[in-house]
Amino acid sequence: MKALRFGRHAAIAVIAAGALALTACGSDNATNTAPAGSASAAGTKVTGTLTGIGSSAQGAAMDVWKTNFASANQGATVQYSPDGSGAGRKAILDGSAQFAGSDAYLKDEELASAKKVCGPEGAIEIPVYISPIAIAFNLPDITELKLDAPTAAKIFRGEIAKWNDPAIAALNPDAKLPDLAVTPVSRSDDSGTTKNFTEYLSAAAPDVWKDKADGIWPASLKGENAKGTSGVVKTVTDTPGAVTYADDSAVGGKLGVAQIKVGSEFVKISPEAASKAVDLGKAVEGRADTDGAIKLDRTTTEAGAYPVVLVSYHIVCSTYDKQETVDLVKAFEKYVVSEEGQKAAAESAKSAPISATLAAKAVKSIETIKVKS
């Protein structure tokens, strides 16, 4: 696996519709850096407004993507409301948004429903953002703990009531664990982060986490809840003893984060470890060649892989009513998956750039978007 590069990204001069070309590096290693993109002044600049709704985990990345794209295309605007992955998928399926941000790929029934709005070829899922999900906590003088999947599952199910519980102490013999109540904090909205986190718990700790993986947190479990990534992080920051799961880009300040046991070792959270976990994933079966949905291996024992990870997608239509919309979607999504777009996201959101292989596939998929006939 080649090391990911996180240098300062160069200023983006001009991003023209159809003028951003990506060249694959010829590597099948999904942890390589995305291929270099070339911006050219040739062609006609795109104009108009593109509206998206969805993933709050993508929030920081979307902010920089929107700003850079608008700066390079005077007269073009991208609007994005980080209302959660569920809201994003609903919006693309009912036609109220032109693209969705989602930390979970579409269910089969959602794929079928997309044909009503997007045409007979339905929706296209483009992986644009890779990030580890942090188990973040608020404990005095503790910035790092070690957890395995069963212990994490018991914490979030309310089966571990105090932070000095023997199960946590056994994994952290040198930590001065306080006699402090554990307050689990979950997302109140339909969330792709919740879907990814519960998918990890149900796969890696099936004897403890009996609920199915879902974007909606189990109503039977006690604890606090809040809307969006910023909501749960604020609640934990304001509540001693609280713990949550959130995109790592949003975690900071006095909050600590957990290392996760993988095989016989504990893996620290990092973009590189997240990218390595994605490298171990496979394409979701039974989907079109243009679809980029990835099935992750949550029970991997691969050294250095962090399996509590999300792959966040931009879900776009295969066809739109107007050529202006087609041009906007193509230009924006090509920028997002370009090397410069991915580096900009990495700097602002601590994400891992998508691989050269994923980027090349994404560009081929984006090129198929057309006007409805």
Side-chain angles (χ1 to χ4, degrees), residues 110-347:
E110 290 176 321
L111 267 180
S113 178
K115 295 180 181 180
K116 298 175 184 177
V117 172
C118 295
E121 295 179 21
I124 298 171
E125 298 169 294
I126 305 167
V128 297
Y129 180 85
I130 297 172
S131 182
I133 299 171
I135 296 179
F137 52 83
N138 181 351
L139 293 177
D141 303 319
I142 297 178
T143 59
E144 197 167 68
L145 287 175
K146 296 177 179 179
L147 295 176
D148 57 21
T151 304
K154 289 177 182 178
I155 286 172
F156 281 93
R157 294 194 73 82
E159 296 176 16
I160 290 179
K162 294 289 186 73
W163 280 103
N164 59 355
D165 186 276
I168 301 177
L171 296 170
N172 300 274
D174 298 327
K176 295 181 180 179
L177 298 168
D179 183 19
L180 183 64
V182 175
T183 303
V185 180
S186 62
R187 289 280 290 270
S188 62
D189 51 323
D190 187 344
S191 159
T193 308
T194 299
K195 175 68 181 294
N196 280 271
F197 187 58
T198 57
E199 188 176 275
Y200 164 73
L201 294 176
S202 63
D207 293 337
V208 179
W209 194 267
K210 300 294 186 180
D211 295 280
K212 67 177 183 179
D214 199 281
I216 299 175
W217 190 256
S220 61
L221 301 183
K222 297 181 180 179
E224 301 292 328
N225 60 64
K227 184 177 180 180
T229 301
S230 59
V232 294
V233 170
K234 183 179 187 307
T235 300
V236 174
T237 301
D238 295 342
T239 310
V243 59
T244 194
Y245 54 94
D247 185 272
D248 189 45
S249 67
V251 177
K254 63 183 179 182
L255 299 187
V257 295
Q259 296 180 33
I260 299 297
K261 192 173 185 181
V262 177
S264 60
E265 300 178 349
F266 289 89
V267 178
K268 289 186 177 183
I269 193 167
S270 71
E272 293 88 346
S275 187
K276 188 168 186 177
V278 173
D279 181 32
L280 300 170
K282 298 180 179 179
V284 175
E285 294 181 356
R287 305 216 166 186
D289 291 341
T290 55
D291 193 271
I294 300 170
K295 180 69 175 177
L296 299 170
D297 181 4
R298 303 295 188 180
T299 59
T300 181
T301 57
E302 186 79 13
Y306 185 89
V308 197
V309 61
L310 64 83
V311 178
S312 200
Y313 303 87
H314 280 179
I315 303 172
V316 300
C317 281
S318 56
T319 62
Y320 290 91
D321 290 330
K322 298 178 180 179
Q323 186 66 49
E324 179 186 74
T325 306
V326 170
D327 293 341
L328 265 172
V329 172
K330 283 186 172 183
F332 180 63
E333 295 303 337
K334 284 181 180 179
Y335 164 60
V336 167
V337 301
S338 74
E339 184 178 36
E340 292 199 20
Q342 289 294 300
K343 283 185 176 181
E347 290 178 357

Side-chain angles (χ1 to χ4, degrees), residues 9 12 15 50 55 57-73 76-80 99-102 126-130 312-314 331-349 351-354:
H9 78 291
I12 299 170
I15 302 167
L50 193 62
S55 164
Q58 282 188 36
M62 278 299 306
D63 285 344
V64 71
W65 287 334
K66 290 188 306 179
T67 300
N68 289 351
F69 186 74
S71 295
N73 292 270
T77 302
V78 179
Q79 301 174 338
Y80 186 76
F99 75 97
S102 179
I126 305 167
V128 297
Y129 180 85
I130 297 172
S312 200
Y313 303 87
H314 280 179
F332 180 63
E333 295 303 337
K334 284 181 180 179
Y335 164 60
V336 167
V337 301
S338 74
E339 184 178 36
E340 292 199 20
Q342 289 294 300
K343 283 185 176 181
E347 290 178 357
S348 65
S351 60
I354 63 172

